[in-house]
Amino acid sequence: MVIGDIIRVEDARTYVAKIPPDAKKECIGSFVKIKKDDGSIIGVIKNITNSIREDLIPYISPDLQPKYAPFNEDFRDSYYFIHGLGSIRNGIVKYDIASPPDVQDNVEILKPEELRFFHTIDGKHSMAYFHSNGEVLPQNVLIAMIDQVEEKCPECKAMLKLVRKYIRRNL
């Protein structure tokens, strides 16, 4: 399910996606994927902004706006700010991004089986990307990420409890 389209690539790990007005809104900390020709970039929603473009708002009362601007009934703009965590290419998980997405690439929610696969390296559960991204992502995003991984990988509950405790104490 597509939840947005990339409209800006700020660097190899930071992207902005426009949320279509009819798309289901996702939460901060949700894992996403951006499909590329040779695989997928895996990221997390770092922030969400909602704004109203003032240059499109007529200075008339809200009940008269549809009459004078019927072609543009929704003046709102919503964006996901996405932080890239790694990639899956040819069935291999790497916690690095060799090439950022392109403008207009689709952003989708990561499926549960993809989430488990991204967190498994050589048959063992892994969150090796966590340490290198810990200072870039806010505490609420890190906690939401842990909650999702814990839900899909209940066998890691004890380890994730320690990681959650560390984040709350040190960040």
Side-chain angles (χ1 to χ4, degrees):
M1 174 177 72
V2 175
I3 61 165
D5 299 311
I6 299 293
I7 61 162
R8 188 169 69 228
V9 176
E10 295 181 359
D11 58 43
R13 292 192 177 266
T14 308
Y15 329 119
V16 179
K18 176 137 175 60
I19 307 170
D22 57 343
K24 178 182 176 276
K25 300 291 191 283
E26 297 299 330
C27 298
I28 290 174
S30 296
F31 285 95
V32 297
K33 69 178 175 184
I34 304 160
K35 290 184 180 176
K36 300 277 293 172
D37 294 334
D38 57 345
S40 297
I41 295 173
I42 308 302
V44 64
I45 297 174
K46 180 179 175 178
N47 200 0
I48 301 170
T49 63
N50 298 302
S51 63
I52 297 177
R53 292 184 53 195
E54 293 182 25
D55 58 332
L56 295 179
I57 300 175
Y59 294 100
I60 57 175
S61 64
D63 57 322
L64 294 178
Q65 286 178 2
K67 179 179 177 184
Y68 292 101
F71 55 89
N72 196 356
E73 293 183 20
D74 192 357
F75 300 108
R76 297 170 290 177
D77 287 326
S78 298
Y79 302 94
Y80 291 128
F81 289 80
I82 299 169
H83 180 77
L85 300 171
S87 61
I88 300 174
R89 282 186 172 53
N90 302 321
I92 299 170
V93 174
K94 290 191 177 183
Y95 297 137
D96 191 25
I97 297 172
S99 174
D102 295 319
V103 171
Q104 296 184 339
D105 282 350
N106 291 332
V107 179
E108 301 176 25
I109 285 295
L110 197 62
K111 295 176 184 165
E113 61 274 8
E114 294 169 321
L115 181 70
R116 281 186 68 86
F117 186 78
F118 184 69
H119 290 91
T120 306
I121 294 183
D122 295 328
K124 296 179 182 176
H125 293 293
S126 175
M127 288 182 76
Y129 66 84
F130 210 78
H131 181 71
S132 61
N133 291 289
E135 294 184 14
V136 178
L137 297 170
Q139 183 181 29
N140 64 323
V141 173
L142 295 170
I143 297 293
M145 291 167 62
I146 289 172
D147 291 344
Q148 289 175 76
V149 173
E150 185 177 51
E151 181 183 332
K152 303 304 183 228
C153 305
E155 61 275 16
C156 298
K157 190 172 186 161
M159 175 189 70
L160 294 172
K161 183 177 179 182
L162 292 172
V163 174
R164 188 181 289 112
K165 185 177 179 181
Y166 169 80
I167 291 169
R168 287 191 173 131
R169 181 180 295 160
N170 296 322
L171 299 177

